Amino acid sequence: MAKSTQPAWVAKLRRQLKRAGEKDLDFSRFGADSHKYRLNPPASEETIAAFETRFGISLPEGYRDFLLRMGNGGAGPFYGLYSLETADPGQLPDYPDGAVLPLGTQGCTLMTGLVLDGPDRGRVIYYDEDQCSPPTLMREADFLTWYDRWTREVDRRL
């Protein structure tokens, strides 16, 4: 039997995402009707490298691995994850500690992002584009741990 070249976390996240979709067939969870628990196809190494070169950045390892092994956008918290083709990194006026890559919208001006540099590199941050409230760093140390928590919470709460 051939060994899988995928890390164990890939199969785990795919199982959790599949279970969530099977439990929420009518997409009653907030935002699920937009992503339907489906990921876009993974990004190629060339696509990621071109994105990094275009913006002069280096994506955090966990998010980069997710793009390569899971999908380039699609299923995720709220209305889902943006693809690289629809996300432009930048500095948040009220978060001077690092540039942020928008990962998706929570609705209205509330956003989910990924810190690209500085002391919080690789962590997910929630922020308001209108700056009506300060940005909030999520408790997880990296993107993969944050995404894992989301898939587990969706599965448990349905």
Side-chain angles (χ1 to χ4, degrees):
M1 177 188 275
K3 286 198 172 204
S4 171
T5 59
Q6 296 282 4
W9 63 263
V10 173
K12 176 186 172 192
L13 289 180
R14 287 194 186 281
R15 272 192 316 273
Q16 290 171 185
L17 190 57
K18 183 176 188 257
R19 270 196 314 263
E22 290 169 349
K23 285 185 172 183
D24 189 17
L25 294 173
D26 62 352
F27 309 120
S28 61
R29 182 148 175 111
F30 179 79
D33 58 336
S34 66
H35 59 71
K36 299 180 175 35
Y37 300 101
R38 288 184 290 214
L39 289 165
N40 297 337
S44 67
E45 183 64 48
E46 294 77 18
T47 298
I48 295 170
F51 180 84
E52 291 175 323
T53 299
R54 177 179 173 209
F55 292 104
I57 62 169
S58 172
L59 293 173
E61 183 179 346
Y63 180 64
R64 194 174 213 285
D65 286 345
F66 183 90
L67 291 168
L68 285 168
R69 299 173 185 277
M70 292 289 293
N72 182 10
F78 309 106
Y79 290 104
L81 300 174
Y82 293 157
S83 68
L84 287 179
E85 293 77 18
T86 59
D88 291 342
Q91 190 71 44
L92 298 179
D94 52 354
Y95 185 73
D97 292 336
V100 172
L101 174 69
L103 293 177
T105 183
Q106 300 174 24
C108 298
T109 61
L110 300 177
M111 300 293 292
T112 300
L114 182 68
V115 180
L116 297 175
D117 53 16
D120 297 316
R121 176 178 164 79
R123 290 183 68 187
V124 173
I125 189 169
Y126 292 171
Y127 62 96
D128 185 337
E129 289 183 309
D130 286 345
Q131 301 173 36
C132 292
S133 60
T136 303
L137 282 167
M138 296 297 90
R139 66 179 177 255
E140 293 81 16
D142 60 37
F143 174 85
L144 289 175
T145 307
W146 172 81
Y147 194 85
D148 175 69
R149 176 176 57 91
W150 174 72
T151 59
R152 286 182 290 112
E153 285 179 354
V154 169
D155 185 33
R156 274 195 314 261
R157 290 184 181 164
L158 290 172

